[in-house]
């Protein structure tokens, strides 16, 4: 016999039915589950998102609604502050419990506490679950019981811990609720214009196909060898699917582990291990955010708080438009604008260029990425930007400054990636992408000269940081 007649499942970053921890528990414990998603009520501009990710979210919610209808249920949509809307829903449905999957950023944690408090006021149960991660921050601690500040020992511990197996989707969520719901959102909900970017297909089914393709097409088996090559599809491309919870991290891990049995050599086994370590990086940055939420506002390393960032606005604008005169930088930024995605190696190159060559504050780049990345995940994005700036957890030392020209030679020397995204350069010999022009003439009509000299700006950065460290 069910424990509850009616309960609420609050969808957040878990927009799927398969292996959804809180949803599965809600279905097991009740006769009827009322699924709800609470839309944000900001309009026009937001520092942490934009039309690209909101467009993808709209598609994911449409897919989720159809999947729930196929299950005999119905997605309820509301707009506003999540705790207030859930409280209204409790009164409307006479629900006796709320089920949710935990979040790890400061806003998510604060809202969970408010929902727990309102449930207590109404005398009903509130159940929260681990779902977004394989291991929560407080499950992966040092021998002294504190948080890790360095990735490598964190990852060793993370990899050694037992992983929970995935479960199937609930057989039934009970009768569909007849209470009022808002319509599925479009970009008009936030007063946003349609993006020009071509985005991946949204929703759980499309995400599961991408996961299946990554493993069964054996891209996973070549991951270690090809992951730093920006041309082509050389990585998993599952970032947006993990960010919105369209796939389960437990199922992804389990499928990767199952693939070990099909590996035919040491290189393929190394590739699987390398990919799993990338999943550990994701949870390392979530752990950093959990224990040090101030990283959104200041440098993780106290040593570098107050470093003067003296970048010029016109340089930031050139960077954001992909018009710096550095082909690898411009290709990366134009890929981002056109697709909502940027290859991870290129993310590192363009991030270090903005902070170390153009001397712009990492927060500017952090916000720009979050507004344009379809897979924008605030913990990983913050961690990546502070890594490149030399200010973050286990960051690149401030004196390690990537040279865009040599990075191009190492990872994009054939010119395919640059030619794909910078059409002005489609007929230019790839050798011209490996060093600044010697004759002070543009390498192609309509393409700008480099806006700075890398060697000069590198020395300037070293001087700025050295002076700051000296007090």
């Amino acid at each position: 016999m069910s424990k509850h007649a009616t309960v609420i499942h609050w969808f957040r970053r878990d927009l799927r039915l398969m292996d959804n921890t809180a949803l599965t528990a809600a279905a097991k414990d009740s006769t009827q589950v009322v699924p709800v998603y609470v839309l944000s009520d900001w309009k026009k501009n937001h520092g942490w998102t934009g039309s690209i990710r909101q467009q993808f979210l709209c598609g994911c919610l449409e897919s989720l609604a159809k999947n729930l209808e196929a299950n005999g249920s119905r997605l309820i949509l509301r707009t506003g502050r999540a705790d207030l809307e859930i409280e209204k829903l409790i009164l409307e449905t006479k629900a006796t419990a709320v089920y949710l999957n935990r979040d790890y950023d400061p806003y998510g944690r604060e809202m969970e506490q408010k929902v727990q408090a309102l449930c207590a006021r109404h005398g009903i149960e509130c159940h929260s679950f681990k779902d977004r991660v394989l291991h929560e921050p407080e499950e992966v601690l040092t021998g002294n019981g504190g948080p890790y500040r360095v990735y490598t020992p964190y990852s060793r511990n993370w990899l050694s811990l037992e992983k929970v197996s995935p479960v199937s989707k609930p057989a039934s969520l009970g009768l569909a609720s007849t209470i009022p719901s808002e319509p599925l959102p479009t970009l008009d909900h936030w007063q946003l214009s349609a993006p020009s970017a071509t985005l991946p297909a949204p929703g759980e089914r499309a995400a599961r196909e991408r996961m299946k393709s990554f493993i069964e097409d054996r891209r996973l088996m070549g991951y270690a060898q090809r992951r730093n090559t920006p041309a082509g599809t050389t990585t998993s491309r599952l970032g947006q699917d993990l960010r919105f919870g369209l796939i389960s991290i437990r199922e992804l891990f389990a499928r990767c582990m199952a693939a070990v049995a099909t590996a035919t050599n040491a290189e393929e086994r190394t590739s699987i291990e390398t990919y799993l370590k990338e999943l550990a990086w994701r949870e390392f940055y979530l752990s950093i955010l959990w224990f040090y939420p101030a990283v959104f506002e200041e440098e993780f390393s106290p040593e570098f708080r107050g470093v003067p960032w003296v970048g010029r606005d016109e340089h930031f604008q050139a960077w954001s438009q992909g018009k710096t005169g550095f082909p690898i930088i411009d290709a990366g930024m134009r890929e981002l604008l056109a697709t909502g995605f940027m290859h991870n190696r290129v993310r590192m190159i363009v991030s270090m260029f903005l902070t170390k060559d153009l001397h712009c504050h990492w927060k500017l780049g952090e916000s720009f990425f979050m507004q344009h990345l379809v897979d924008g995940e605030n913990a990983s994005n913050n961690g990546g930007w502070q890594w490149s700036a030399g200010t973050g957890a286990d960051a690149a030392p401030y004196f390690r400054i990537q040279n865009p020209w040599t990075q191009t030679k190492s990872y994009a020397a054939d010119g395919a990636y640059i030619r794909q995204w910078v059409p002005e350069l489609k007929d230019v010999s790839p050798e011209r992408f490996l060093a600044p022009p010697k004759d002070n003439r543009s390498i192609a009509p309509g393409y700008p000269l480099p806006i700075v000299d890398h060697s000069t700006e590198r020395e300037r950065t070293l001087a700025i940081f050295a002076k700051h460290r000296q007090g």
Side-chain angles (χ1 to χ4, degrees), residues 55 65 257 350 375 428 431:
Q55 179 71 65
M257 292 303 295
V350 303
D375 63 8
V428 177
E431 289 81 7

Side-chain angles (χ1 to χ4, degrees), residues 24 59 144 146 192 219 233 255 285 289 314 385 402 453:
T24 298
N144 295 327
L192 295 171
R219 280 188 288 129
T233 306
R255 283 176 176 252
Y285 280 140
L289 183 57
E314 59 266 33
W385 273 96
Q402 292 174 340
D453 174 73

Side-chain angles (χ1 to χ4, degrees), residues 231-261:
T233 306
T234 57
T235 58
S236 74
R237 300 298 293 264
L238 298 177
Q240 68 283 333
D241 305 324
L242 290 170
R243 191 259 178 244
F244 285 95
L246 303 176
I247 57 174
S248 153
I249 186 66
R250 291 170 298 282
E251 183 177 1
L252 176 59
F253 185 91
R255 283 176 176 252
C256 290
M257 292 303 295
V260 173

Side-chain angles (χ1 to χ4, degrees), residues 73-91:
S73 184
R74 176 169 164 260
L75 180 63
I76 303 300
L77 290 159
R78 298 293 169 89
T79 298
R81 213 176 82 181
D83 58 327
L84 301 181
E85 295 306 313
I86 289 173
E87 184 168 30
K88 294 175 186 175
L89 203 57
I90 290 169
L91 297 174

Side-chain angles (χ1 to χ4, degrees), residues 255-288:
R255 283 176 176 252
C256 290
M257 292 303 295
V260 173
T262 68
T264 59
N265 55 53
E267 281 191 357
E268 292 183 347
R269 288 188 288 273
T270 296
S271 282
I272 297 171
E273 180 182 348
T274 301
Y275 182 70
L276 296 179
K277 288 180 179 178
E278 291 300 309
L279 299 183
W281 265 111
R282 172 179 175 267
E283 298 195 6
F284 173 69
Y285 280 140
L286 282 167
S287 176
I288 291 295

